[in-house]
Amino acid sequence: LAANVSDHPIGTGVLGALLVGFVSCFSFLSFKEWRGYKQVNTAMEDAGVIRNLLANKRNETSPQKIDRVLSQHGKRFSRGSYAAHCFDRYKQQLQDDMTGPERLGLYEDTVLKPVQEKAHKVLNKESVTAGSLAFISPNNLIQTFAVIWISFRTIRRMARVYGLRPSTAGNWKLLKVLAQNIAAQGVFDLATDEVANQIGGSLSAKFMENSAEAIAAGALNARLGRALIKLLK
């Protein structure tokens, strides 16, 4: 840019403005990815603390400590999420004279269990969508992109149930599961193509091939969702 500004000032200025815009957008998106990654990790740490409290529910943990842990965790829920709605219901039913175990039991009934049930419902819908997209995809390339897109969408929607705004990858553990799913889908595509070639190019062979790939895509998507539930429950 510095070398061309004297000869082509207008073009260099436009190019410089585009470059500044690109760097700014890339930096902003990178910051959102980092913030989302940190948020998922923080939620995992909170989930571990709450699990320890529930495991030791019979021990008389002070209500003040339980309130501090649960309130801190509740503040991380994104506004309008299902987890935030359940947490508001928990605060409405909370009584000042409740003991520590009673508060944990109320939190488990009004927040943890409903969020888990909602997450499984969302996962079932996303797995059906993944299978449907795999079934109607005209070729393996479009099918692979469809599986990647639905996998990222599954991470976002399920994390939204837990009150999070995850980055695109969400967490390295989830990214690892996603990469394994894509690799497995590719191997399965090769296998089904070979079977279809052996059977022949009939309509029934194509239907069988697409059906098998749809089942595999749905199962792999469910595997990704179960990994997310295991991290955040």
Side-chain angles (χ1 to χ4, degrees):
L1 293 176
N4 295 326
V5 67
S6 58
D7 296 334
H8 308 284
I10 297 178
T12 303
V14 173
L15 184 60
L18 292 175
L19 181 60
V20 170
F22 171 77
V23 172
S24 300
C25 292
F26 184 79
S27 301
F28 176 71
L29 292 175
S30 298
F31 173 73
K32 288 185 65 177
E33 292 293 305
W34 175 82
R35 186 177 62 178
Y37 174 79
K38 295 292 290 183
Q39 189 181 33
V40 171
N41 282 341
T42 303
M44 289 170 56
E45 294 174 1
D46 288 351
V49 174
I50 294 175
R51 280 197 297 268
N52 290 334
L53 289 176
L54 290 171
N56 300 321
K57 188 163 57 174
R58 293 183 178 180
N59 297 335
E60 286 295 334
T61 306
S62 64
Q64 293 77 15
K65 180 181 179 180
I66 294 175
D67 284 341
R68 183 171 64 254
V69 171
L70 297 182
S71 298
Q72 184 179 8
H73 184 60
K75 291 179 181 178
R76 306 188 196 280
F77 295 150
S78 59
R79 188 175 301 176
S81 65
Y82 185 74
H85 169 72
C86 293
F87 189 75
D88 289 339
R89 187 171 57 186
Y90 161 76
K91 291 192 296 184
Q92 292 173 0
Q93 299 182 18
L94 188 64
Q95 302 294 330
D96 294 335
D97 58 347
M98 283 184 172
T99 62
E102 289 175 342
R103 292 168 188 262
L104 288 173
L106 178 62
Y107 185 82
E108 189 174 13
D109 292 337
T110 57
V111 180
L112 296 183
K113 290 181 179 179
V115 168
Q116 286 290 100
E117 293 175 358
K118 181 71 173 180
H120 283 287
K121 290 180 181 179
V122 172
L123 175 58
N124 291 336
K125 291 181 180 179
E126 293 298 296
S127 298
V128 171
T129 303
S132 301
L133 290 176
F135 183 78
I136 64 176
S137 296
N139 56 58
N140 291 339
L141 179 62
I142 295 178
Q143 185 181 96
T144 300
F145 281 117
V147 170
I148 294 174
W149 173 74
I150 197 66
S151 297
F152 280 138
R153 195 181 78 161
T154 299
I155 294 176
R156 287 185 178 276
R157 288 194 171 184
M158 293 191 62
R160 179 71 174 169
V161 172
Y162 286 93
L164 302 177
R165 295 189 188 95
S167 60
T168 301
N171 185 275
W172 286 113
K173 293 181 180 179
L174 295 178
L175 185 61
K176 182 179 178 180
V177 175
L178 177 59
Q180 292 172 351
N181 284 1
I182 300 303
Q185 184 67 36
V187 173
F188 197 81
D189 287 341
L190 294 176
T192 52
D193 287 345
E194 181 61 26
V195 172
N197 290 334
Q198 295 295 331
I199 296 176
S202 63
L203 182 62
S204 59
K206 184 64 177 176
F207 180 80
M208 290 176 59
E209 177 186 0
N210 286 5
S211 299
E213 291 177 348
I215 294 173
L220 292 173
N221 189 265
R223 177 173 177 262
L224 177 66
R226 287 194 296 270
L228 179 58
I229 291 175
K230 184 177 180 180
L231 288 176
L232 297 179
K233 70 179 180 179

